[in-house]
Amino acid sequence: MTDLRKSDRLIKLGLLMIAFSAISALFVITLFIFEQGGPIMFKYGLKSFIFGQDWYPSEKIFGLWPMIVGSLMVTLGALIIGVPLGLATAIFLAEFSSRRLARILKPVIELLAGIPSVVYGFLGLMFLIPFIRENLGGPGLSVLAASIILGIMILPTVISISLDSIRAVPDCYREGSIALGATRWQTVRMVVLPAARSGILAAIILGMGRAIGETMAVIMVAGNAAEIPSSILQPVRTLTSNIALEMGYAAGEHRQALFATGVILFVIIMVLNTIANLTASRQGKR
Amino acid sequence: MKVEAGEYLIEVRNLNVFYGSFQALKDINLKLQAARITALIGPSGCGKSTFLRSLNRMNDLIDGARTEGEVFFEGKDIFSPETDLLELRRRVGMVFQRPNPFPLSIADNVTYGLRVHGQNDRAWLEERLYWSLQAVNLWDELKDRLKVNALELTGEQQQRLCLARLLALEPEVILMDEPCSALDPLATARIEDLMYELKKKYTIIIVTHNMQQAARVSDFTGYFLLGELVEFGETNEIFTKPKDPRTEDYITGRFG
């Protein structure tokens, strides 16, 4: 008896420590980024750091505005492409396809998530970039290319989470609607989707997180010019690309400015998540 | 209503329903009168709900379900290819065992059926909303909470709301699949009172496990056992002098 109790207590203590180490890792990372990137932002002024139009690290001009706009454009583009496609797929699999087809297709879609991002970038470079250059104009490396690649990359996230939330809607709602003489599509549109709303929103938030954080594939297809693109056919640089491209050779204040880029990215993701969560919980209550 | 009270509204001929290789209903023949309450009793799994769900073709939704025979509703076979299925379900409404209001506002629940049938005139929707909630005695309770999510209502209110949702569509037949099984005795009594009132305008068919309920509310009773309709007749006859010994065994509580 006493032995058992003692081992229980030991295990509990051990698990507690492991759990805390995971949380403290987050803490340490946050602290480190802010410690490294914070001071330089205040040295050159928060305003010029965020809204500065020019990024010439060798001349100590650190304006992140083009990259902030770039990240937001590319993420928005990915959502515009990925969300309708993903949601339509989820609706089809949950409500209209046969169970057998869904059982085959769902794992296939989840395989998409297993493809390394460098492969997405490579495929984009080989096929998408020449296609855009020849048919739509511009250098090919562009906001559009990055949006398309990211839109495809967020599909597995958007599909599987919204599929789960659509499937979690109790069948009694569907029966009630069909029994009133509604068609299947009316039932989906007017009852099932509203009931699955918070899950679908979660799917979009997670897709957004994936898109804004993705680096390698974006570097390969976006062109990476550190200026605000004049159209979606022009090159763009995102916050993540900015860090990855220059970290290898940066030193001193340049290095700190890259950490500051990380701080901005961190804050943007926090703000977007909070907004999305707030709308989710408010709509959930209604 | 085209069919007068007491005349036959629904006629079922040689109805067989199969789920895969399992035969859930065996050769059912039955005529149901308009503006009457018909109760279907019998043990679980003996085909009562399957029969009920045949009348608005909800069995169509079940994979592997197959139906043979005919069901005439106002003289037309509902299984014929010319049947407008959506219109049939508007005219033959259904209340389920567990209240299933949609996770929408009370008002949106009531007007849902009208909207799916293409009616979008706001004044008309509001008029139907008022009328339908009045018809199930919910208007006074809920008139200030029409925008509230229907899932916040009590079980009894939810079931009444589901009835109101049907009535908004001006159906002719109301199918009820154990509508009170999730309610307490007082709420059950109030729903039964409501059924009595609705009988004046609607033909009601109710599946129930509760034999007292069948005896209290219904004009006619049918007894289902193992997929067969063992006996059908006026309620007081079924309960006082059943012709079939199997019916007698069930209603005297020897099994079931």
Side-chain angles (χ1 to χ4, degrees), chain A residues 99 172-173 175-184 186-187 190-191 194-195 285-286, chain B residues 53 58 61 86 89 94 96 100-104 112 115-117 149 151 165-166 169:
Chain A
R99 269 193 211 147
C172 67
Y173 295 153
E175 278 203 317
S177 171
I178 298 281
L180 287 167
T183 62
R184 272 227 103 104
Q186 285 172 327
T187 303
M190 295 167 75
V191 177
K285 265 180 219 152
R286 199 153 55 94
Chain B
R53 292 169 63 97
M58 284 296 279
L61 299 183
L86 305 182
R89 287 177 182 152
M94 187 167 215
F96 295 83
N100 60 348
F102 305 127
L104 309 170
Y112 180 83
R115 286 181 286 127
V116 301
H117 286 280
N149 191 311
L151 299 186
R165 189 167 77 176
L166 290 187
L169 285 171

Side-chain angles (χ1 to χ4, degrees), chain A residues 65-137:
Chain A
W65 189 241
M67 278 67 91
I68 294 173
V69 173
S71 271
L72 294 179
M73 276 177 93
V74 164
T75 303
L76 187 70
L79 292 180
I80 289 172
I81 290 163
V83 169
L85 218 58
L87 199 54
T89 312
I91 291 170
F92 171 74
L93 289 179
E95 301 287 330
F96 294 96
S97 82
S98 72
R99 269 193 211 147
R100 233 173 82 215
L101 188 62
R103 217 174 298 148
I104 298 167
L105 285 182
K106 198 185 174 203
V108 173
I109 288 162
E110 277 160 3
L111 268 184
L112 270 181
I115 299 174
S117 61
V118 68
V119 174
Y120 279 100
F122 187 56
L123 289 174
L125 208 53
M126 295 297 291
F127 301 107
L128 190 60
I129 301 301
F131 181 84
I132 292 175
R133 188 171 50 223
E134 280 152 30
N135 293 289
L136 301 171

Side-chain angles (χ1 to χ4, degrees), chain B residues 229-246:
Chain B
L229 179 60
V230 172
E231 192 166 350
F232 181 81
E234 287 191 26
T235 298
N236 55 24
E237 278 191 21
I238 295 271
F239 279 91
T240 52
K241 37 182 192 288
K243 293 188 192 87
D244 195 297
R246 289 174 292 177

